[in-house]
Amino acid sequence: MQRRGALLGMPGGRKMAAGDLGELLVPHMPAIRVPRSGDRVYKSECAFSFDSPNSEGGLYICMNTFLAFGREHVERHFRKTGQSVYMHLKRHVREKVRGASGGALPKRRNSKLFLDLDTDDDLNSDDLEYEDEAKLVIFPDHYEIALPNIEELPALVTIACDAVLSSKSPYRKQDPDTWENELPVSKYANNLTQLDNGVRIPPSGWKCARCDLRENLWLNLTDGSVLCGKRFFDSSGGNGHALEHYRDTGYPLAVKLGTITPDGADVYSFQEEEPVLDPHLAKHLAHFGIDMLHMHGTENGLQDNEIKPRVSEWEVIQESGTKLKPMYGPGYTGLKNLGNSCYLSSVMQAIFSIPEFQRAYVGNLPRIFDYSPLDPTQDFNTQMTKLGHGLLSGQYSKPPVKSDLIEQVMKEEHKPQHNGISPRMFKAFVSKSHPEFSSNRQQDAQEFFLHLVNLVERNRIGSENPSDVFRFLVEERIQCCQTRKVRYTERVDYLMQLPVAMEAATNKDELIAYELTRREAEVNRRPLPELVRAKIPFSACLQAFSEPENVDDFWSSALQAKSAGVKTSRFASFPEYLVVQIKKFTFGLDWVPKKFDVSIDMPDLLDINHLRARGLQPGEEELPDISPPIVIPDDSKDRLMNQLIDPSDIDESSVMQLAEMGFPLEACRKAVYFTGNMGAEVAFNWIIVHMEEPDFAEPLTMPGYGGAASAGASVFGAAGLDNQPPEEIISIITSMGFQRNQAIQALRATNHSLERALDWIFSHPEFEEDSDFVIEMENNANANIISEAKPEGPRVKDGPGTYELFAFISHMGTSTMSGHYICHIKKEGRWVIYNDHKVCASERPPKDLGYMYFYRRIPS
């Protein structure tokens, strides 16, 4: 067999003589596939890194899974899967050759092999040209076969290669402007019936008509009912009352409250079962008193909320007019904007500036990558680690070097500078199945932060959970206005929301003068002068946080009726990292989204020890419970299990009574089930005890009834038992002849999925070498079981309430659903501005204009 040359960048690479090609590929033919319509073909980005065809080592695409890997990671995939045939893609970028007159000569090559290739480099420059190179590489000997090679390759291989090269991007649906174009016009929009029932919808203060939820609310466009949406895959969302209302009435269209802007809103058709466009949305909303188009033009053609004052905000936050020094290296890597992805970029920059997240993901990089599932693009921990390594390694943030530039000129070759990374793969995964974040519209950074925390909670690595640094307890005190009795409850939260105390502005006279000028300018159609920003003392916002607020509806057993009360909130524990959100956004009376243009003197050092919860005070009398607490006997788990009822005999009337109180339907079913159909009041107490558990809203599943979850864990509230895979699934795997430790390791690596665990076992023949990892997981599981034997409260890292500011996220624009986000982070004693892919030293950090602030605890 003749061997010629070496594979580009791969030591030991070999080229094959033409007559040997067919013989060489014969053993690998069963593993070579032609992409089907549902296959995702990744040819622009490595699954474990941000390497691309533009990288020095190019990109390798598995001809069986169609996953892509950089030179550093392709061997890992080969060892794990045994897949031997990869397509190697390399794009060479060169400076154009100039003619005598200075004009560009015709390109020497114009081989565009990588059709529909997503690259983030500007290859449309008049000064650049490129040449694409593709070849097949066979591992482990790195034999290479140049492409195209139609004459020598088997027909199946040729078809597969052509299909890979011409395949569409897996991110096609996330490209800018494609989301809206894909939405169909609802067939019900033109002739929608709207009832003349006198319903008028206020611009704020919404609440589901069937439960107490105040988020994810939908307005039915026929009768004006405001009801909660369905529950999402991550247990967030609502209780599905909007869908139930459609099934009862047949009214087909609903619009999501909070998304209405002059440009449109999110409209869903229950009948068509998909998001739709309503070309008459303004008319349909006006029927309920919502004027989405109430925006006045000005002489310069801009809208009132987009004139010079907003430009000033953009200039200040972006530090325009100042020559900012670019920064490079580890921790100074930017994230490229995918078309309104700045909310994600800002949050992730702040998250990965926290040591606990750095250690959890980047610190565990080898282990996470080695034990990732067969498709690492669909694994949260793998993608978090990939993003964290991309931001912190410095590999994708290198300054231009003069010697390199001279060498490039001599070789007429252009090496694109690594200036930021693209979070396409990360965004595609974390937003999967989420109706908001999966779109290409701008989103609320605060909502994404909570969504990310939820994902971290559900995919934690071992016993460690980095999101615990944000977790704290809030003590809520409710006092009945009639009996003066009180009730203390605790809830878990991850950020502190501060209202904007506009009445405390220190420049009221200036604001009044501006308002008079604004009205005069509107009447006379003149441009507005520069906006006077309201200056709010931080102490006023902090006071507003802990001040009493009215509670419209809460149960008082003393009256056995709904009573009015007053609620106050305090910290039952202080988190290690405190995230503060300034609630700047609201709706005007005309339903147009507005943002308070305020400046708040956020302190660098923060002391909130005076907000520590105090509990029941002398002289206070507690409100009695609705019913006596349920007492679980001290019998063994097995005896209790024998008393449980058949899931098909659950009292649905009790379930619905609980659901009408606003609790998730599946949680209500479990409550009635585990209390033995003893009624809604007894089941209510079960809910109060178990509502903080991670699987609280998960469907009821029982051994012997088609489920795989441990009933004992549900009965005793074992929140930590999710570290140990269910015994039922372990038994299934061990019955096939595999070791118990091997089954546990496979299930832990695949989030307890039986099918994926079996795939994992077959792809890890080196299991015996990794016994330390299994022992560690077993120890973690045993530790959790021991800790659950002594029930404890929610995981919190309490300490002193003194903090220092280290990061903040600012928003520019009139609504969280539009505009732009920027992050400032304090690193190595100086502030740094992260504006998408641009990372620079900050000269004037606008700490008074932030939207979210990140504080770290000061050690005592």
Side-chain angles (χ1 to χ4, degrees):
M1 183 176 294
Q2 183 180 2
R3 299 175 179 175
R4 299 181 300 171
L7 178 64
L8 179 63
M10 295 293 294
R14 303 165 181 175
K15 294 184 178 180
M16 295 301 302
D20 298 326
L21 295 182
E23 176 185 348
L24 185 64
L25 286 169
V26 167
H28 308 290
M29 290 294 290
I32 298 177
R33 293 199 304 116
V34 177
R36 296 187 293 267
S37 59
D39 288 329
R40 295 187 297 267
V41 179
Y42 296 90
K43 58 182 181 180
S44 60
E45 182 181 349
C46 172
F48 294 106
S49 71
F50 292 91
D51 287 350
S52 71
N54 292 342
S55 302
E56 183 178 355
L59 200 65
Y60 295 82
I61 304 172
C62 175
M63 293 301 293
N64 180 270
T65 64
F66 309 115
L67 296 170
F69 305 94
R71 186 172 62 185
E72 182 182 356
H73 300 284
V74 65
E75 294 279 0
R76 174 184 284 108
H77 186 257
F78 164 68
R79 292 193 304 268
K80 178 179 290 189
T81 65
Q83 301 298 333
S84 300
V85 183
Y86 296 80
M87 179 183 291
H88 181 247
L89 303 182
K90 182 71 176 76
R91 173 161 283 177
H92 304 276
V93 183
R94 295 184 175 89
E95 300 283 348
K96 287 184 179 178
V97 179
R98 297 289 173 179
S101 61
L105 293 177
K107 290 184 179 180
R108 293 166 293 183
R109 292 183 177 89
N110 189 20
S111 53
K112 188 177 181 181
L113 291 178
F114 312 159
L115 303 180
D116 195 47
L117 177 64
D118 291 318
T119 57
D120 298 297
D121 298 286
D122 184 12
L123 298 179
N124 296 319
S125 171
D126 293 336
D127 298 324
L128 302 177
E129 64 181 3
Y130 59 88
E131 175 191 358
D132 292 347
E133 178 185 12
K135 61 184 72 173
L136 288 180
V137 181
I138 303 177
F139 284 71
D141 295 321
H142 305 299
Y143 291 114
E144 66 179 38
I145 303 171
L147 295 175
N149 201 331
I150 300 175
E151 295 80 5
E152 302 296 336
L153 292 178
L156 175 64
V157 177
T158 300
I159 295 172
C161 291
D162 289 343
V164 169
L165 290 173
S166 60
S167 60
K168 297 294 183 182
S169 165
Y171 310 113
R172 171 64 62 181
K173 291 185 179 181
Q174 294 199 20
D175 287 347
D177 302 325
T178 58
W179 174 268
E180 299 295 343
N181 293 337
E182 292 178 355
L183 294 181
V185 174
S186 173
K187 62 183 179 181
Y188 299 98
N190 290 334
N191 301 304
L192 182 68
T193 300
Q194 293 193 282
L195 304 182
D196 293 326
N197 52 11
V199 172
R200 292 293 180 269
I201 305 300
S204 61
W206 316 301
K207 177 182 173 184
C208 177
R210 298 189 183 182
C211 66
D212 292 331
L213 289 185
R214 298 178 182 270
E215 297 179 348
N216 190 25
L217 300 178
W218 293 78
L219 167 67
N220 191 285
L221 290 176
T222 295
D223 63 357
S225 298
V226 175
L227 298 156
C228 60
K230 65 180 181 180
R231 182 162 298 278
F232 302 146
F233 78 104
D234 61 354
S235 298
S236 62
N239 296 316
H241 290 143
L243 179 59
E244 291 180 10
H245 182 67
Y246 158 71
R247 291 171 178 168
D248 295 338
T249 64
Y251 300 153
L253 299 183
V255 60
K256 186 173 184 180
L257 297 177
T259 68
I260 302 172
T261 70
D263 298 323
D266 292 350
V267 181
Y268 187 82
S269 173
F270 297 107
Q271 177 65 34
E272 297 159 288
E273 296 185 341
E274 62 179 339
V276 295
L277 293 177
D278 179 3
H280 310 291
L281 183 60
K283 172 186 173 184
H284 293 155
L285 291 174
H287 181 83
F288 301 108
I290 304 173
D291 187 0
M292 64 175 284
L293 300 180
H294 185 62
M295 304 289 284
H296 299 291
T298 61
E299 290 180 358
N300 58 7
L302 298 175
Q303 295 174 335
D304 280 352
N305 61 343
E306 295 178 350
I307 59 176
K308 188 177 180 181
R310 290 303 169 194
V311 176
S312 175
E313 179 188 50
W314 285 65
E315 291 176 347
V316 173
I317 292 178
Q318 294 189 102
E319 303 188 49
S320 301
T322 304
K323 188 175 182 180
L324 301 178
K325 178 183 177 182
M327 302 195 69
Y328 303 95
Y332 299 106
T333 303
L335 286 165
K336 297 178 181 179
N337 200 317
L338 306 178
N340 292 333
S341 62
C342 54
Y343 68 93
L344 177 148
S345 300
S346 298
V347 171
M348 298 314 299
Q349 292 285 10
I351 287 293
F352 275 111
S353 68
I354 297 175
E356 284 76 4
F357 279 86
Q358 296 174 2
R359 290 194 297 267
Y361 295 103
V362 182
N364 281 318
L365 184 147
R367 177 176 296 180
I368 292 174
F369 281 0
D370 286 340
Y371 295 97
S372 64
L374 293 181
D375 187 354
T377 68
Q378 303 303 304
D379 180 66
F380 175 75
N381 291 326
T382 301
Q383 292 309 308
M384 278 287 284
T385 303
K386 170 185 171 177
L387 184 69
H389 180 262
L391 293 176
L392 301 174
S393 66
Q395 292 183 9
Y396 307 96
S397 177
K398 298 179 180 179
V401 181
K402 291 184 179 181
S403 59
D404 290 345
L405 294 176
I406 296 174
E407 181 181 356
Q408 292 175 27
V409 171
M410 297 297 293
K411 292 183 177 181
E412 297 182 352
E413 185 173 3
H414 172 78
K415 294 182 180 179
Q417 292 295 320
H418 293 299
N419 187 13
I421 56 180
S422 172
R424 283 184 184 274
M425 192 175 291
F426 179 79
K427 182 179 186 296
F429 178 79
V430 299
S431 61
K432 182 176 60 175
S433 301
H434 195 290
E436 293 299 331
F437 301 128
S438 59
S439 76
N440 212 68
R441 296 184 294 270
Q442 186 64 275
Q443 301 297 333
D444 188 348
Q446 176 257 348
E447 291 182 2
F448 180 76
F449 168 77
L450 294 178
H451 176 64
L452 182 76
V453 167
N454 194 356
L455 291 176
V456 173
E457 289 272 357
R458 295 170 64 88
N459 297 275
R460 61 182 181 177
I461 307 170
S463 60
E464 292 298 320
N465 184 351
S467 67
D468 284 351
V469 300
F470 302 124
R471 190 180 178 101
F472 61 93
L473 293 177
V474 176
E475 178 193 84
E476 291 187 342
R477 176 186 182 272
I478 297 178
Q479 183 174 36
C480 177
C481 292
Q482 299 185 33
T483 66
R484 311 306 295 175
K485 296 181 180 180
V486 298
R487 173 170 294 146
Y488 286 88
T489 59
E490 288 186 350
R491 61 175 173 84
V492 172
D493 214 332
Y494 292 90
L495 82 164
M496 176 187 188
Q497 293 183 309
L498 283 187
V500 176
M502 291 294 293
E503 68 280 359
T506 59
N507 57 337
K508 288 184 178 179
D509 293 341
E510 294 178 86
L511 296 173
I512 294 174
Y514 169 76
E515 178 62 19
L516 295 175
T517 305
R518 187 195 67 79
R519 294 179 183 179
E520 179 184 355
E522 183 175 325
V523 171
N524 297 317
R525 310 298 296 163
R526 293 201 306 266
L528 284 171
E530 182 68 24
L531 179 63
V532 177
R533 183 169 285 118
K535 298 177 181 178
I536 313 294
F538 172 76
S539 57
C541 298
L542 202 60
Q543 181 179 357
F545 166 79
S546 57
E547 281 185 346
E549 59 177 299
N550 291 327
V551 179
D552 295 329
D553 301 312
F554 76 96
W555 283 101
S556 169
S557 61
L559 301 176
Q560 288 295 307
K562 292 183 178 180
S563 308
V566 173
K567 180 175 70 175
T568 56
S569 299
R570 286 178 173 267
F571 285 87
S573 68
F574 291 126
E576 195 163 349
Y577 288 81
L578 179 65
V579 182
V580 180
Q581 177 203 10
I582 305 298
K583 300 176 67 174
K584 292 185 175 183
F585 299 93
T586 184
F587 285 92
L589 296 178
D590 54 5
W591 264 84
V592 175
K594 293 183 177 180
K595 183 173 76 173
F596 297 128
D597 197 18
V598 296
S599 170
I600 300 177
D601 57 339
M602 296 297 292
D604 288 309
L605 301 178
L606 176 62
D607 188 344
I608 55 173
N609 280 294
H610 63 285
L611 295 178
R612 170 77 74 170
R614 297 173 296 181
L616 189 68
Q617 297 297 298
E620 292 182 336
E621 184 178 355
E622 283 190 283
L623 283 165
D625 292 332
I626 296 177
S627 59
I630 182 171
V631 178
I632 298 180
D634 295 330
D635 298 17
S636 66
K637 180 174 63 176
D638 293 336
R639 178 177 174 182
L640 183 61
M641 287 293 296
N642 292 333
Q643 299 175 358
L644 296 177
I645 60 176
D646 189 310
S648 61
D649 297 332
I650 293 177
D651 181 7
E652 293 297 335
S653 62
S654 297
V655 173
M656 295 312 299
Q657 288 183 52
L658 295 171
E660 290 175 357
M661 299 173 66
F663 299 111
L665 181 62
E666 293 297 340
C668 299
R669 288 180 56 81
K670 288 198 291 189
V672 175
Y673 176 81
F674 288 123
T675 55
N677 276 345
M678 296 174 64
E681 291 188 355
V682 177
F684 173 82
N685 285 275
W686 186 96
I687 287 178
I688 296 302
V689 173
H690 295 83
M691 63 190 308
E692 293 298 334
E693 296 175 8
D695 62 346
F696 174 68
E698 295 296 324
L700 171 65
T701 54
M702 294 295 299
Y705 297 109
S710 170
S714 296
V715 171
F716 294 103
L721 290 180
D722 56 345
N723 289 315
Q724 177 75 357
E727 287 295 329
E728 292 76 16
I729 306 182
I730 297 175
S731 299
I732 293 174
I733 297 178
T734 55
S735 67
M736 299 179 183
F738 299 107
Q739 301 176 26
R740 174 180 173 82
N741 286 353
Q742 193 174 13
I744 293 174
Q745 182 175 358
L747 290 168
R748 287 291 300 147
T750 57
N751 199 23
H752 301 180
S753 169
L754 175 60
E755 181 179 357
R756 291 171 57 201
L758 292 174
D759 289 339
W760 190 94
I761 289 175
F762 286 117
S763 63
H764 286 74
E766 72 284 2
F767 162 75
E768 291 79 9
E769 301 175 5
D770 302 306
S771 57
D772 291 342
F773 184 46
V774 180
I775 294 173
E776 178 183 339
M777 291 190 299
E778 288 271 22
N779 291 339
N780 288 339
N782 293 334
N784 283 323
I785 293 174
I786 294 173
S787 66
E788 288 301 329
K790 300 177 181 179
E792 298 177 357
R795 308 180 311 274
V796 294
K797 297 188 175 183
D798 197 8
T802 52
Y803 299 89
E804 61 176 344
L805 181 68
F806 72 93
F808 62 95
I809 296 173
S810 305
H811 174 269
M812 297 162 286
T814 58
S815 166
T816 55
M817 310 301 289
S818 62
H820 186 56
Y821 287 95
I822 281 179
C823 183
H824 283 76
I825 303 176
K826 194 173 186 179
K827 292 188 175 182
E828 300 175 322
R830 60 185 173 187
W831 285 96
V832 181
I833 178 173
Y834 293 81
N835 188 355
D836 287 334
H837 68 280
K838 294 179 290 187
V839 180
C840 301
S842 174
E843 296 293 335
R844 296 192 296 267
K847 290 182 287 187
D848 59 329
L849 299 180
Y851 174 53
M852 294 177 64
Y853 294 85
F854 293 77
Y855 286 87
R856 67 165 59 93
R857 180 186 293 147
I858 301 175
S860 57

